[in-house]
Amino acid sequence: MSSLGGGDDMSSASDLPFLGPRNNMELQEFGRKPRHNVSITLGELLKRLGDSAEEKNQVLELGNHSNYTTTTPSSFPFVLSFHNLTYSVKVKSKISLPRWLRRGDKDDELSSDNNMKVLLNDISGEAREGEIMAVLGASGSGKSTLIDALADRISRESLKGNVTLNGEVLESKLLKVISAYVMQDDLLFPMLTVEETLMFSAEFRLPRTLSKSKKNARVQALIDQLGLTNAAKTVIGDEGHRGVSGGERRRVSIGIDIIHDPIVLFLDEPTSGLDSTSAYMVVKVLQRIAQSGSIVIMSIHQPSYRILSLLDRLIILSRGHTVLTSPPSCLQQFFSDFGNPIPENENRIEFALDFIRELEGTPNGTKTLMEFNKTWQRERNSTTSTSSFYNGPKPSLKDAISASVSRGKLVSGATNIDPNVSSSNVPKFANPFWVDMVVIAKRSMLNSMRMPELFGMRFGAVVVTGIILATIFWKLDNSPKGVQERLGFFAFAMSTTFYTCAEAIPVFLQERYIFMRETAHNAYRRSSYVVSHAIISLPSILVLSIAFAVTTYWSVGLAGGVSGFLYFLLFLLASFWAGSSFVTFLSGVIYNIMMAYTVVVAVLAYFFLFSGFFISRDRIPPYWIWFHYMSLVKYPYQGVLQNEFSDPNKCFVKGVQLFDTSPLRAVPEALKIKLLQNMSKTLGMNITSTTCLTTGSDILKQSGGTDLNKWTCFWITIGLGFFFRILFYFALLIGSKNKRS
């Protein structure tokens, strides 16, 4: 992709229409080079940059390549061919009448065969290096499905037919290395600038062996080629933050997927939602990418006249069938031969699409046009052979890749490809695990730091909750009433930490499709993402824990002094960790934000119910006891209770305080003492007004909090956090498959 020069007659990069100011950009037509004469790639130019300090200041001359000499092998052009692609999906059966009420041909209509819907039916064609092949058709015609089939985003078991590159079947692993796929939606981090977005993509897709200066040079050259020079320092933006324009966002989306200079580029409706000028500029960029030595295949709904002039091959689909295969220049001849010539002043592609839409409404549909297209193609292919694309014998795939890599293509880890070994030995990722992890963490933290309001809201919620609890439970005493209030404080405080974590639900859901796009072509490992996601959550968890502990511990008057505070802080940290991990896991399983909130709130309510506060462990029915041990709230609640009531010398109920929790609390104290004396005689023991009747150990036994010690509870809480992170990894592994079934 990386060639930025248009030909030998171009003196500098400033001659390109995309490199001028954004508001004064002129749209010009460039003379096309011969398809087999591939220009020097950006990767080759980058090879000329060293790692020395002097070379860091070198300026890439992106225009005239005549000053460079090269001894690399001649280019072997790539041809991607696809034959007889057929793909069907099973649709849900409609509710039907009982069999005994059906008659005649009803059984045939409701047979199992009719439960299959054909999305692609015997599609064939080819795309060549240096050209743009566009797939057209009305909505539902199968455009995106064909792009997915070519990009190996449909399981091999479901897709019939074959896709070859230079006559050899492409293995999935090799295709991921040499290709890129640009989705229809612009999935970008909103608070990163254009330059930062492309730089992070370079960090992911380019190998660690490539120096920082070379990666930066590649990013700067790519920004120039994409026409984003004046937007380089502008954030991407979203609904709440002003950023780049729609056309610039689309070009950034293309840029992040072609940073490694792929051989094949797939795009799903790259002009969707753009105005005519922005759409034209996007396709113009794609034309230059193709001319730099790549195959570009894209779907497009209805191109304008100017965009049509940039396309090299067209495939028009109708309800999964090929109805027209032709270069744009042959459209007039095609319809003339068919007997429906295109009027002089009519847009050729609009006429073709409107005509096909009209045929779809007729009884025979587009069957006649499909048959004519096959005949017309056979006659045309008899005079134009594919072999004329090559200057000499047809090269093998390994020779073509070898020549392409030697010219600087595939700047990623694929530069280590040995074309003489099988694709099973192709490096899967450009960087090691820890590099991926660091880059992911750096990107997420940078994006989050520019949206401080998100963490600010969470921090504010914790502090406000802490202040409310501190004022309600201010300086609790050690009376029986104080004991009940302490139990209520601990139950609410521990459950609050988990409910506060629910605010993190949208974090992954907003990144989910970015994650799927980046892992589809092995930008990084899923495990790197999971570990990085866990690590970057720790600083915020620590801040929240300290804020809540400082706000409540001394205000409520909890026991234990400094050591008790530190233990209380540790349990808050463990609770936030387990809650964050649990919420993260659910966000990896449930993709709808509102549904995720509903499930999180409901499950946390169940955890709270079975924690041991409302009903002790001994009173829980046997068939529900398993939920008690699954409760995330049980372990931190039990741990802080043991921390509070662990002193055996501390008394919580003395003599007459025995009546404080009964209807006798209102009687005079003298009467209470007489009652104690009578109880002493009956029980055979001396009970005075100062006799300790209930210690902390007794309270723990009554609440059922003695089955595990406090440190066991702490480590179980920490372990549950790791357990849910592991489940999150498997949720990503299973739920983020980038293929249709």
Side-chain angles (χ1 to χ4, degrees):
M1 167 237 80
S2 35
S3 170
L4 302 182
D8 293 336
D9 61 329
M10 304 189 75
S11 58
S12 70
S14 61
D15 296 330
L16 298 179
F18 306 118
L19 304 185
R22 295 165 69 188
N23 296 330
N24 298 318
M25 195 174 295
E26 296 180 1
L27 301 177
Q28 303 174 6
E29 287 291 339
F30 295 118
R32 292 192 179 183
K33 300 175 292 182
R35 297 289 177 256
H36 59 277
N37 184 18
V38 181
S39 64
I40 192 169
T41 64
L42 179 59
E44 186 174 358
L45 293 177
L46 288 173
K47 282 186 175 181
R48 307 180 187 283
L49 292 179
D51 296 328
S52 63
E54 295 79 14
E55 288 175 325
K56 289 183 180 179
N57 298 321
Q58 283 185 334
V59 178
L60 281 175
E61 296 182 12
L62 303 175
N64 193 347
H65 307 311
S66 60
N67 295 331
Y68 296 109
T69 58
T70 179
T71 58
T72 57
S74 60
S75 170
F76 292 146
F78 291 98
V79 177
L80 187 143
S81 303
F82 46 99
H83 307 280
N84 311 114
L85 295 183
T86 301
Y87 175 57
S88 303
V89 294
K90 190 172 184 178
V91 297
K92 293 182 179 179
S93 302
K94 296 180 180 179
I95 299 176
S96 58
L97 294 172
R99 182 175 295 274
W100 60 274
L101 288 177
R102 303 182 209 157
R103 61 179 182 178
D105 56 355
K106 295 289 184 180
D107 289 327
D108 296 331
E109 293 176 6
L110 298 172
S111 65
S112 59
D113 292 340
N114 289 337
N115 289 337
M116 302 300 295
K117 180 178 180 181
V118 179
L119 300 183
L120 297 178
N121 193 331
D122 199 30
I123 308 295
S124 300
E126 71 174 23
R128 300 177 177 181
E129 176 184 327
E131 296 182 349
I132 299 177
M133 186 184 83
V135 183
L136 290 81
S139 298
S141 60
K143 301 189 299 296
S144 297
T145 305
L146 178 57
I147 297 295
D148 285 348
L150 298 178
D152 193 36
R153 292 168 67 89
I154 298 177
S155 64
R156 293 289 174 89
E157 295 77 16
S158 302
L159 181 67
K160 298 178 182 178
N162 61 78
V163 180
T164 62
L165 187 63
N166 285 22
E168 299 183 25
V169 176
L170 270 173
E171 293 187 25
S172 179
K173 193 174 181 180
L174 178 60
L175 181 61
K176 283 188 176 183
V177 173
I178 68 173
S179 69
Y181 184 97
V182 180
M183 295 182 178
Q184 183 175 349
D185 298 321
D186 299 320
L187 306 171
L188 305 168
F189 284 89
M191 299 311 296
L192 299 183
T193 66
V194 170
E195 185 177 35
E196 290 168 344
T197 300
L198 294 174
M199 193 64 204
F200 278 118
S201 180
E203 294 286 351
F204 286 129
R205 301 304 298 263
L206 305 186
R208 188 164 54 101
T209 54
L210 202 63
S211 67
K212 189 79 172 181
S213 61
K214 290 183 179 181
K215 291 179 181 178
N216 186 64
R218 177 159 185 78
V219 169
Q220 296 304 321
L222 186 58
I223 287 174
D224 285 343
Q225 187 181 20
L226 296 173
L228 297 169
T229 304
N230 292 290
K233 303 297 183 182
T234 305
V235 296
I236 301 298
D238 57 11
E239 295 82 358
H241 304 85
R242 187 176 180 84
V244 297
S245 67
E248 289 165 338
R249 284 174 63 93
R250 190 59 49 85
R251 280 177 272 158
V252 174
S253 296
I254 295 172
I256 59 178
D257 283 311
I258 62 174
I259 192 74
H260 64 301
D261 202 359
I263 292 173
V264 186
L265 177 60
F266 303 100
L267 305 101
D268 185 13
E269 299 203 22
T271 62
S272 177
L274 301 181
D275 59 77
S276 59
T277 300
S278 298
Y280 175 76
M281 292 170 62
V282 166
V283 180
K284 190 68 178 176
V285 167
L286 296 178
Q287 183 194 52
R288 302 200 58 75
I289 292 171
Q291 292 177 348
S292 71
S294 297
I295 298 172
V296 176
I297 303 174
M298 70 175 187
S299 61
I300 187 169
H301 185 65
Q302 190 163 334
S304 65
Y305 178 81
R306 291 191 301 171
I307 290 178
L308 188 63
S309 66
L310 304 177
L311 307 179
D312 300 284
R313 291 172 179 266
L314 303 177
I315 292 183
I316 302 181
L317 303 180
S318 172
R319 298 174 182 174
H321 296 79
T322 304
V323 293
L324 194 154
T325 307
S326 169
S329 58
C330 296
L331 284 176
Q332 183 75 45
Q333 182 65 42
F334 178 88
F335 282 100
S336 294
D337 294 345
F338 185 67
N340 291 81
I342 302 175
E344 265 185 48
N345 298 323
E346 183 128 7
N347 183 300
R348 290 172 292 168
I349 199 63
E350 287 184 4
F351 174 87
L353 294 176
D354 290 343
F355 181 73
I356 292 169
R357 193 173 294 112
E358 290 177 6
L359 288 180
E360 288 176 347
T362 62
N364 291 328
T366 56
K367 185 176 180 180
T368 305
L369 187 61
M370 286 188 290
E371 295 299 328
F372 175 78
N373 177 64
K374 292 178 182 178
T375 305
W376 195 77
Q377 291 299 325
R378 282 195 296 268
E379 294 175 354
R380 187 167 175 271
N381 291 337
S382 63
T383 57
T384 305
S385 175
T386 304
S387 61
S388 63
F389 185 59
Y390 299 100
N391 296 324
K394 186 176 180 179
S396 67
L397 179 57
K398 68 178 184 180
D399 292 334
I401 293 179
S402 178
S404 185
V405 170
S406 66
R407 288 187 296 109
K409 298 285 285 184
L410 297 177
V411 186
S412 69
T415 53
N416 300 320
I417 292 177
D418 181 354
N420 296 309
V421 298
S422 67
S423 62
S424 61
N425 295 322
V426 173
K428 195 171 183 179
F429 301 98
N431 295 297
F433 169 86
W434 67 269
V435 172
D436 290 341
M437 188 180 68
V438 170
V439 176
I440 294 170
K442 182 180 177 182
R443 181 178 65 176
S444 296
M445 292 180 66
L446 183 60
N447 188 66
S448 299
M449 287 169 59
R450 291 178 181 168
M451 291 191 292
E453 63 274 11
L454 297 181
F455 176 74
M457 291 179 61
R458 195 176 177 192
F459 180 80
V462 168
V463 172
V464 169
T465 302
I467 292 174
I468 292 174
L469 291 176
T471 54
I472 291 177
F473 298 97
W474 181 264
K475 297 298 181 182
L476 298 178
D477 56 27
N478 294 327
S479 66
K481 184 178 180 181
V483 170
Q484 293 300 319
E485 291 173 345
R486 286 174 192 270
L487 294 176
F489 166 77
F490 285 128
F492 192 85
M494 292 300 104
S495 61
T496 295
T497 59
F498 290 97
Y499 277 107
T500 305
C501 293
E503 298 180 12
I505 289 175
V507 174
F508 175 70
L509 293 180
Q510 292 173 349
E511 297 180 11
R512 175 177 176 78
Y513 292 104
I514 298 178
F515 167 83
M516 291 182 65
R517 183 202 66 209
E518 291 175 335
T519 55
H521 285 267
N522 298 335
Y524 49 78
R525 299 162 180 81
R526 291 174 176 85
S527 56
S528 299
Y529 182 87
V530 172
V531 174
S532 177
H533 194 279
I535 291 175
I536 62 177
S537 68
L538 295 179
S540 61
I541 288 174
L542 180 61
V543 172
L544 295 176
S545 302
I546 293 174
F548 191 77
V550 169
T551 308
T552 59
Y553 188 82
W554 286 285
S555 302
V556 175
L558 302 181
V562 175
S563 61
F565 170 79
L566 293 177
Y567 188 81
F568 181 66
L569 176 61
L570 281 177
F571 250 109
L572 287 175
L573 186 63
S575 298
F576 275 116
W577 160 250
S580 174
S581 300
F582 172 69
V583 169
T584 300
F585 160 65
L586 284 185
S587 68
V589 175
I590 304 171
Y591 310 147
N592 182 279
I593 291 181
M594 295 308 299
M595 187 180 297
Y597 271 120
T598 302
V599 172
V600 167
V601 171
V603 174
L604 289 180
Y606 301 148
F607 286 160
F608 191 23
L609 174 63
F610 287 96
S611 63
F613 171 70
F614 294 102
I615 183 171
S616 66
R617 174 172 53 88
D618 299 333
R619 295 288 308 279
I620 297 176
Y623 48 83
W624 282 120
I625 196 65
W626 61 272
F627 210 118
H628 170 72
Y629 287 102
M630 282 185 60
S631 172
L632 292 179
V633 182
K634 164 189 164 59
Y635 301 101
Y637 173 64
Q638 185 171 324
V640 293
L641 283 186
Q642 292 188 18
N643 186 57
E644 182 69 15
F645 299 109
S646 60
D647 187 354
N649 299 319
K650 195 169 185 178
C651 187
F652 292 93
V653 179
K654 294 181 180 179
V656 294
Q657 290 181 332
L658 178 65
F659 305 105
D660 288 355
T661 57
S662 72
L664 299 176
R665 65 181 179 276
V667 303
E669 187 169 347
L671 182 57
K672 292 179 181 178
I673 293 175
K674 288 184 179 181
L675 289 172
L676 288 177
Q677 292 173 349
N678 292 330
M679 291 174 61
S680 299
K681 293 178 182 179
T682 304
L683 296 174
M685 58 183 296
N686 186 27
I687 303 176
T688 66
S689 60
T690 58
T691 302
C692 183
L693 300 176
T694 304
T695 63
S697 299
D698 297 325
I699 294 174
L700 289 177
K701 290 178 181 178
Q702 292 171 10
S703 62
T706 57
D707 57 325
L708 300 170
N709 65 53
K710 63 180 184 180
W711 285 110
T712 302
C713 291
F714 173 77
W715 290 116
I716 288 177
T717 307
I718 294 292
L720 286 172
F722 282 103
F723 173 70
F724 284 113
R725 293 287 174 175
I726 295 172
L727 290 183
F728 177 54
Y729 168 75
F730 285 107
L732 297 184
L733 194 64
I734 298 171
S736 61
K737 300 294 184 182
N738 294 285
K739 289 187 178 184
R740 305 191 196 190
S741 59

